[in-house]
Amino acid sequence: EAREAVSSAAALERGTLDIGAVPSLPAFLDLPALLAAFHARYPGIEVRLSQSGSEPLTEKLRAGTLDLAILPLCEPVPDIATSLVACEGLVLVCAPSHPLAGRGEVTLAELAGEPFVDFQSGWGTRRLVDQGFGQAGLERRIAFEVSDLDSLLALVGRGLGVALVPETVAEARRDMLAVVDIAGPELCWELVVAHLARGRGGKSALDEAPRAFLDLMLARAEPAKTQAA
C-alpha cells in the first residue's frame, strides 16, 4: 500500500492530461475554473484541451488521443464509461415577438412547421432533438446550422427561427428571449464526462492524472446535479 501511494503521488508530479469538450458548455460548469484549480494542485501535469462535437470526441477517446471528454449524451455508447454531471429538460426559446412567446407550453407537433436554429448534425443536443421528433413521428425544418451557442441564440433572438436548449441556458437569456416549456414526454439533456471503460488487459482505463481531474470535476458538479434533480 505504501508503494502504491508513493507511485500515485509520483504520477501526479509530471505527465500530461488530454481533455476534450463540446463548445458552449452550460454556465454551471466553469471549465476554465476547473482547469485552473487542477493546475494549482498539480502544476507538473501539462493539460491540453480541444473542442469538437460529441461524435468526434467519442472517436478520439477510442483512439486514445483523449483521456476525458465532456459532452452531452443521448444514449449509452459501447466501451465508453460515463459519469453524470447534470440532467436538464429542454425548453423552447424564441424571439419575444414570436406568436408562441406568450404560451405556457407547446407541443412538438406545434413546432414541426417552425424554422429551427440548431447545431450541426451529430452534435449532442441536435441528436437529442432529432430523436425526440423522430419518436413522435414528426419532421422539422432546420433553417440554420451553427457550431456555437452564441450564434444560435443570436439568430433566435433576431426572429430567424426557434430552438430547443437546456433550461439553464434558456433561463440565463430571459432578457433577450422568450422561454416556453415543452408539453409531453420530457427531452432530457444529460451532460457527462466520458472515458474508455477499460484499458488494455482489462485494467482501469484512467491513469492518475485523469482520475484526479475527474474526481475534482464531479465534486464541483454535485450542486448542479442536486439542483437539476
Side-chain angles (χ1 to χ4, degrees), residues 26-152:
F28 57 73
L29 180 61
D30 191 342
L31 185 56
L34 276 170
L35 294 173
F38 183 83
H39 177 70
R41 293 187 185 186
Y42 312 107
I45 301 295
E46 178 186 356
V47 181
R48 298 182 294 226
L49 174 68
S50 60
Q51 291 184 324
S52 190
S54 297
E55 289 184 357
L57 290 177
T58 301
E59 291 307 312
K60 288 181 179 180
L61 285 175
R62 290 196 177 103
T65 57
L66 287 180
D67 297 306
L68 299 170
I70 305 166
L71 68 164
L73 194 66
C74 299
E75 54 194 19
V77 179
D79 69 14
I80 300 295
T82 61
S83 298
L84 182 66
V85 177
C87 178
E88 291 193 332
L90 297 184
V91 295
L92 174 75
V93 288
C94 58
S97 59
H98 194 282
L100 295 175
R103 294 278 296 274
E105 61 180 21
V106 63
T107 66
L108 293 184
E110 291 177 288
L111 296 176
E114 295 287 337
F116 268 81
V117 185
D118 212 331
F119 294 106
Q120 298 172 14
S121 181
W123 289 45
T125 308
R126 168 70 180 271
R127 292 178 63 190
L128 177 59
V129 178
D130 286 345
Q131 186 180 77
F133 274 84
Q135 290 176 346
L138 300 169
E139 295 185 0
R140 63 182 182 129
R141 177 167 64 91
I142 309 298
F144 297 91
E145 283 189 337
V146 299
S147 59
D148 67 281
L149 181 61
D150 288 339
S151 295
L152 182 147

